[in-house]
Amino acid sequence: MNREVIIPLIIFLLITFSVGVWANKYVSKTNSFLQEYFLGSRELGGFILAMTMMATYGSASSFIGGPGVAYTTGLGWVLLSMAQLPAGYFVLMILGKKFAIAARKYQAITLIDFLKSRYESKWVVLLSALSIIIFLFSAMAAQWVGGARLIESLTGLSYTTALFIFAVSVLVYVIIGGFRAVAMTDAIQGTVMFIGTFILLIATIVAGGGVSNIISELATENPNLITPFGAEGELTPLYVSSFWILVGVGVVGLPQITVRAMSYKNAKAMHRAIIISTVFVGFIMLAMHLIGVFARVIIPGVEIGDKVMPLLTLHVLPAWLAGIVLTAPLAAIMSTVDSLLILVSSSIVKDVYLNYIKPEATEKQIKTASFGVTTIIGILVFLMALSPPDLLIWLNLFSFGGLEAAFIWPVILGLYWKKGNKYGAIASMIVGVGSYIVIHTYFGNLFGLHTVVVPVLLSCIVYVLTSLITNKTMGMKVDYGLSHQTKEV
């Protein structure tokens, strides 16, 4: 165990704990526990909003899994990864003011709150909560695995011990600090991610003898590594062009990202966040995946892709600097885990427990339920992560696709199409999630497209047709009260 590497990581963890303790004073003093614990009282500024969006989106698959796939696939995966560039832009421009106004009008604390008020349907709420719980458990398991593998690589501890350390570290500050602690630590973690990525990119290029030398080495080993088609020609143009639906525009359907569009302070903060998040996400995604490809020349023969990033960092940097840089992937993982944890907890407590089990719950009972549910979820995910896959990026992307198939049209068309109704939303969710699981399990990349494309198209068609068919006899009249709303959020 290298102390010079471990000390910066310990300092980083202590800082995150401190933020949790600081945020707890807001949780303790607030008049509205739910607004504060699950949404930070809607007080996020532009920089914090941009950082929390980027840190939530930039996860273990971006810093651990993504570079691991790029290591085996080549520059084609770098091109593929850049579909993520406009993620924050799409979310804030498509949802933006209209979504924030509607969320405030309904006093919505979660995405499901919005859907409940928009569609006035118990089944929309229950299907939404079920989708979030199922798919975000997969996403959280992927992050838990990434954090454990990072700690395992650095310390030499067993995987199970590393997983336990990581789980406890995250649970402590999320449970006591809620959404505000998540957002503030995301800002710190996002900054660390940016700086760490920059340092590692420069060190990797230097260690490889320059970009031209690295490219020559890759071409000598396998010419396909420097083409857009991947080492084995697996990245077809149709697949690559359809991938942007999953990690680009489809991000609008991810509840962990969507909730950020409910939490900002005003329009100025939103506009600033669009610019900052686009620049930061673009740089980090490009740099991290390039690092993964370049690592093939510097440390050949790595068998487990998820270990490429930590092994490369320890190889090209002095121990003390490696410890600082490796807080970046740890920050990425922790920032995503905390957001997913608070989201699943809010779905169970706010959307199921308070709506249908105990609507008359007191503030004390709500606090107890929130802390308890968050802890139980963390323990369950820990148990799921005990048997990890070889490349966690696939587990993460599976959850992305399922959530997008479930939510993208009920959210977007729910905002912009007044004829959309609860029957369309229910049908869209069932068909979207059902077809996604079937295609993912039995057909893979149907028609050469990414697995998520066909389910997203089917869910859109079903939403529109079902809404139109049912509108004449039992359609809902939707009025946000926004038609003449000119006041900025």
Side-chain angles (χ1 to χ4, degrees):
M1 189 182 296
N2 192 324
R3 290 184 181 179
E4 289 181 89
V5 175
I6 300 301
I7 288 173
L9 295 178
I10 293 173
I11 293 172
F12 175 75
L13 290 176
L14 290 174
I15 291 172
T16 60
F17 292 155
S18 301
V19 172
V21 172
W22 168 82
N24 182 254
K25 69 180 182 182
Y26 290 90
V27 174
S28 302
K29 294 179 181 178
T30 181
N31 293 322
S32 176
F33 173 79
L34 289 173
Q35 288 273 355
E36 173 60 33
Y37 193 74
F38 292 125
L39 211 55
S41 299
R42 305 182 200 269
E43 294 178 352
L44 299 193
F47 180 75
I48 301 293
L49 175 62
M51 289 295 100
T52 189
M53 285 188 67
M54 185 198 76
T56 300
Y57 187 65
S59 62
S61 64
S62 304
F63 278 77
I64 303 292
V69 177
Y71 181 89
T72 58
T73 308
L75 291 177
W77 196 262
V78 179
L79 174 64
L80 195 72
S81 72
M82 290 312 293
Q84 299 169 88
L85 173 63
Y89 176 86
F90 276 129
V91 171
L92 291 176
M93 287 303 293
I94 292 174
L95 298 180
K97 296 179 186 177
K98 195 173 183 71
F99 186 64
I101 291 170
R104 283 164 169 77
K105 179 178 183 291
Y106 296 141
Q107 289 297 297
I109 294 172
T110 67
L111 172 62
I112 300 178
D113 265 350
F114 164 75
L115 295 175
K116 178 176 181 282
S117 299
R118 168 62 174 85
Y119 294 108
E120 298 179 354
S121 167
K122 177 176 75 173
W123 289 107
V124 169
V125 172
L126 294 178
L127 285 171
S128 299
L130 186 63
S131 298
I132 284 176
I133 292 167
I134 290 173
F135 289 109
L136 286 188
F137 260 98
S138 296
M140 277 195 287
Q143 307 309 316
W144 245 249
V145 172
R149 279 190 173 146
L150 179 61
I151 294 172
E152 176 192 20
S153 299
L154 294 179
T155 63
L157 295 170
S158 69
Y159 172 80
T160 304
T161 304
L163 180 64
F164 178 78
I165 292 171
F166 178 77
V168 171
S169 300
V170 174
L171 281 171
V172 167
Y173 76 84
V174 174
I175 289 171
I176 65 174
F179 186 89
R180 189 181 296 269
V182 169
M184 293 304 296
T185 53
D186 281 357
I188 297 168
Q189 290 159 348
T191 304
V192 169
M193 286 154 61
F194 187 88
I195 296 170
T197 300
F198 180 78
I199 293 171
L200 185 57
L201 177 63
I202 299 300
T204 302
I205 292 172
V206 171
V211 174
S212 59
N213 184 64
I214 293 172
I215 298 298
S216 298
E217 294 278 349
L218 290 171
T220 301
E221 180 188 348
N222 181 354
N224 286 339
L225 287 170
I226 60 172
T227 71
F229 309 113
E232 307 298 330
E234 65 271 36
L235 302 178
T236 64
L238 195 59
Y239 177 82
V240 172
S241 59
S242 65
F243 194 80
W244 76 278
I245 293 178
L246 177 70
V247 296
V249 67
V251 174
V252 174
L254 295 177
Q256 65 267 38
I257 302 295
T258 302
V259 73
R260 266 71 189 159
M262 299 168 63
S263 59
Y264 62 84
K265 185 164 51 178
N266 51 39
K268 184 178 179 181
M270 183 192 74
H271 296 152
R272 185 181 296 121
I274 290 173
I275 297 170
I276 296 172
S277 65
T278 301
V279 171
F280 273 54
V281 168
F283 171 75
I284 286 176
M285 294 305 165
L286 175 62
M288 284 310 306
H289 290 85
L290 276 176
I291 289 167
V293 179
F294 293 171
R296 191 175 179 116
V297 172
I298 300 165
I299 49 169
V302 179
E303 295 181 1
I304 299 177
D306 291 342
K307 291 189 175 182
V308 168
M309 237 291 288
L311 290 175
L312 175 71
T313 306
L314 293 171
H315 183 83
V316 301
L317 293 174
W320 65 272
L321 187 54
I324 295 173
V325 168
L326 284 171
T327 59
L330 187 63
I333 295 163
M334 292 180 72
S335 62
T336 301
V337 166
D338 55 28
S339 299
L340 300 185
L341 195 57
I342 205 76
L343 183 59
V344 176
S345 177
S346 68
S347 297
I348 295 172
V349 175
K350 176 68 176 65
D351 302 316
V352 178
Y353 175 73
L354 284 180
N355 281 335
Y356 304 111
I357 298 175
K358 198 166 186 177
E360 73 283 0
T362 64
E363 193 84 353
K364 184 177 180 180
Q365 289 173 324
I366 295 171
K367 285 185 179 182
T368 302
S370 300
F371 296 153
V373 166
T374 305
T375 304
I376 291 169
I377 292 167
I379 293 170
L380 291 175
V381 175
F382 170 83
L383 295 175
M384 281 182 65
L386 286 174
S387 300
D390 286 339
L391 277 171
L392 59 87
I393 186 172
W394 306 123
L395 192 59
N396 204 49
L397 293 180
F398 169 75
S399 68
F400 268 36
L403 290 168
E404 290 172 9
F407 290 106
I408 187 168
W409 301 119
V411 172
I412 295 177
L413 294 179
L415 272 176
Y416 290 99
W417 191 45
K418 291 189 176 183
K419 291 183 179 180
N421 61 35
K422 62 183 178 181
Y423 306 103
I426 291 169
S428 175
M429 287 181 176
I430 293 172
V431 170
V433 173
S435 62
Y436 178 73
I437 292 173
V438 169
I439 292 172
H440 187 277
T441 304
Y442 298 106
F443 300 102
N445 301 319
L446 194 62
F447 308 124
L449 299 166
H450 188 275
T451 311
V452 77
V453 176
V454 173
V456 165
L457 291 175
L458 288 176
S459 63
C460 179
I461 293 168
V462 168
Y463 182 101
V464 173
L465 290 179
T466 304
S467 295
L468 291 175
I469 291 169
T470 56
N471 251 347
K472 292 182 180 179
T473 55
M474 46 190 174
M476 296 166 56
K477 288 185 178 180
V478 180
D479 182 13
Y480 293 116
L482 307 178
S483 304
H484 305 289
Q485 174 68 272
T486 56
K487 183 180 177 181
E488 288 191 340
V489 185

